Amino acid sequence: MEIRYNQFGMSQRPVFLSFSGVITGIESAGSMGRYDGCSQMVTVENESGNVVNFFMNAETFVVDYTTLYESLPVTVFYNGNVAAPLIYPPQYMAAVIAPQTEGQMVYVGYFNNVFLSSDQGLKLNLAPSTTVVTQNNQTFLGNPGGHTLVVLYSQTTRSIPPQTTPDKIIVLCGQ
C-alpha cells in the first residue's frame, strides 16, 4: 500500500473503505492485453444488488489464506484515497479480502502507539490471549502500534470509540 502525499508535502495514510457481499465471479485480469494468471478480478454483489469489481494481485492480503470461490461471503477493504475510474460497476484495487465468519468482525486501518485507529473508530486493548502475527503468519515481535493492522475480533464496548480485545492482529508491515 503506498503512502500518498497531499498538496503540502505531508504524508497521507490510506483510508480503508469496505464493501461486503458474496463473490459472484472470479476471472483472470491483466493489463495491456497481457494475462499472466497472477492478477484476478473478483466481482462482489451485496444484498441490495450493488456490484463492485476488485482487482486482486500479489499485494492483496487474503485473511487466513482462504481460497476464494464463487458464493463465498467476503468483506473487501480498499484504499479510499486512490483515484478510481468513473465506470459501472465500480472497480477498485483490493488491499485486504476477509472471508466472513459467523461472530467475527474485521477492521483494517492504521493504529497509533496507544492502539487507537486513525479514524478513531476502534480502540484496541491487547491481552495475553491476543495473537499478533505478520502477513506471512509469523509471530510479530514488536509493538503493533504505529502500523496498519487487520484486526479480527468478536465484540466491542458501546463506548466512543468502541473498544475491543482482539482475537488476532495481523500487522501489514511496510504499509
Side-chain angles (χ1 to χ4, degrees):
M1 187 66 47
E2 69 182 60
I3 294 180
R4 304 187 72 168
Y5 293 88
N6 65 20
Q7 63 191 12
F8 304 108
M10 299 184 67
S11 67
Q12 182 179 15
R13 298 212 180 275
V15 173
F16 291 96
L17 303 177
S18 66
F19 184 81
S20 296
V22 173
I23 295 176
T24 59
I26 301 173
E27 62 185 62
S28 183
S31 61
M32 307 280 226
R34 192 176 128 244
Y35 298 95
D36 62 3
C38 291
S39 298
Q40 298 175 339
M41 184 169 60
V42 179
T43 302
V44 179
E45 183 175 341
N46 69 9
E47 291 177 352
S48 301
N50 297 318
V51 175
V52 178
N53 290 327
F54 293 97
F55 290 102
M56 182 175 80
N57 62 20
E59 294 180 16
T60 303
F61 177 69
V62 179
V63 173
D64 293 333
Y65 307 101
T66 302
T67 299
L68 304 179
Y69 55 89
E70 289 184 18
S71 79
L72 178 68
V74 295
T75 299
V76 182
F77 296 86
Y78 59 97
N79 186 346
N81 290 338
V82 175
L86 294 174
I87 58 174
Y88 184 83
Q91 296 181 357
Y92 303 102
M93 178 60 69
V96 175
I97 300 177
Q100 294 177 4
T101 304
E102 185 72 32
Q104 178 179 294
M105 294 176 272
V106 180
Y107 188 96
V108 177
Y110 177 83
F111 285 80
N112 65 20
N113 287 326
V114 294
F115 307 117
L116 179 63
S117 65
S118 60
D119 66 357
Q120 299 183 1
L122 189 64
K123 170 85 167 80
L124 306 180
N125 299 313
L126 274 60
S129 61
T130 302
T131 303
V132 183
V133 297
T134 61
Q135 272 182 263
N136 61 0
N137 206 34
Q138 301 306 303
T139 300
F140 183 78
L141 301 174
N143 179 353
H147 290 87
T148 298
L149 307 175
V150 177
V151 180
L152 308 176
Y153 61 101
S154 55
Q155 56 188 337
T156 64
T157 63
R158 294 185 183 191
S159 61
I160 297 177
Q163 297 185 37
T164 189
T165 300
D167 301 314
K168 184 175 186 178
I169 295 173
I170 303 153
V171 181
L172 301 181
C173 298
Q175 295 190 30

